[in-house]
Amino acid sequence: MSSIQANRLSEFMLNYYELINPSDVYDYKLIDGFNPNLYFILGIKKYYFSNDTKIIDKKNGKLFVKLESEDREIIEYNWTVVDQEKNLFKNLTMKISMDKRFMIVNGVDKYPVDYFYLNNLDIIPKFRILYIGQAFGGSKNKRDAIDRLKNHDKLQKILADCISSKLKYDVKILLLDLNQLDLFTTLGKKEDSHYELEFENNFYEDFPSKAQMINIVEALLINYFKPEYNRDFVKGAVPSLSHSSYNEFYRKQYESILINLQKLGDIELYTDVRTIFPIQEFIGGKILANNNELEFISNPLKMERRIE
């Protein structure tokens, strides 16, 4: 046993993400280099086009868009329609579907109502976290999130609950690719520490396995947000020495963890028990501690929101 105590702080940083519809799962093709290892099943409030939505300048492709939810929340703004080359549409036509969930522009282009919610710079989109899961299948089955979601009981349950109106959300799937980064280590005398772990000679040589990285982040996020459709890791303490799925983090003497989802931008993620704004806050907590509850950590690089 060494007389030196070494501790590590590790950051799990979002590398890349995609937000897709459940209907996209079977045809979705991952871009090169994107290997989503976690996913959130999200709900956004269901809106409808108001009858007040109208063309205000036909020759210059300008529309007044008004959205309304069942609880009477209203979003309205002016929208200029452009083509793929950013050219204005001339002689604009517009039609709203019978269910008030789609807009058809010039008889061809179809825009779902959530397009206007998610692309409105005047609001911060709110996403309810319904379920958190992982895609990593272990060393013998390195599946990605798309493979996992193609036959996913919880996703089908959530969609069924939306159809039956038990849930009143539009469902989205957030695919996440996270990387691990060691920020620093601290050294001290073993006798000054209350941790009883062996010091390993290869401490600095490698990270825990990719599977263990995904396991601990999934468990931490589930325990922190407690999504209503998750069952494992919701109760009790996480991290925990009783969870063998990420025990390398204890053996390698990781003391603290940060989960950095800043790249998600200016959005709100929430459940009944937690709400965070990823661009402003990290999720962080202790591994080697008597009290290992996760906590908010203010982002020192907090950015003010720009509205143009």
Side-chain angles (χ1 to χ4, degrees), residues 4 15 26 45-47 59 64 79-80 90 93 124 181 205 220-221 241 250 267 300 305:
I4 297 296
N15 181 44
Y26 289 94
K45 183 179 287 191
K46 187 173 285 187
Y47 288 90
K59 293 182 178 179
F64 170 73
W79 181 53
T80 301
K90 303 296 183 180
T93 65
I124 297 176
L181 173 69
E205 292 181 3
L220 288 168
L221 290 172
L241 280 167
Y250 288 96
I267 67 170
R305 194 161 197 271

Side-chain angles (χ1 to χ4, degrees), residues 134-233:
Q134 66 159 287
F136 202 89
S139 60
K140 296 182 180 180
N141 181 24
K142 295 182 179 179
R143 64 192 175 193
D144 58 44
I146 295 299
D147 293 329
R148 176 74 180 91
L149 289 162
K150 286 179 179 177
N151 296 287
H152 196 287
D153 292 342
K154 282 290 173 27
L155 175 58
Q156 298 307 316
K157 169 66 173 170
I158 290 169
L159 294 174
D161 286 348
C162 288
I163 292 173
S164 68
S165 296
K166 181 179 178 181
L167 291 176
K168 295 185 178 181
Y169 298 110
D170 285 326
V171 177
K172 299 291 182 183
I173 298 170
L174 181 62
L175 306 174
L176 304 170
D177 179 4
L178 285 89
N179 291 325
Q180 183 179 352
L181 173 69
D182 267 9
L183 297 181
F184 59 80
T185 60
T186 59
L187 300 176
K189 292 182 179 180
K190 183 69 178 180
E191 53 268 26
D192 294 335
S193 172
H194 60 278
Y195 309 138
E196 299 296 333
L197 294 177
E198 294 285 339
F199 181 85
E200 298 183 4
N201 291 332
N202 65 347
F203 182 82
Y204 295 97
E205 292 181 3
D206 62 349
F207 291 139
S209 67
K210 187 77 169 181
Q212 292 241 334
M213 184 199 91
I214 300 307
N215 288 340
I216 196 170
V217 174
E218 178 197 35
L220 288 168
L221 290 172
I222 291 172
N223 190 256
Y224 186 70
F225 285 109
K226 304 186 188 309
E228 57 200 273
Y229 285 85
N230 281 99
R231 295 295 176 263
D232 295 336
F233 305 118

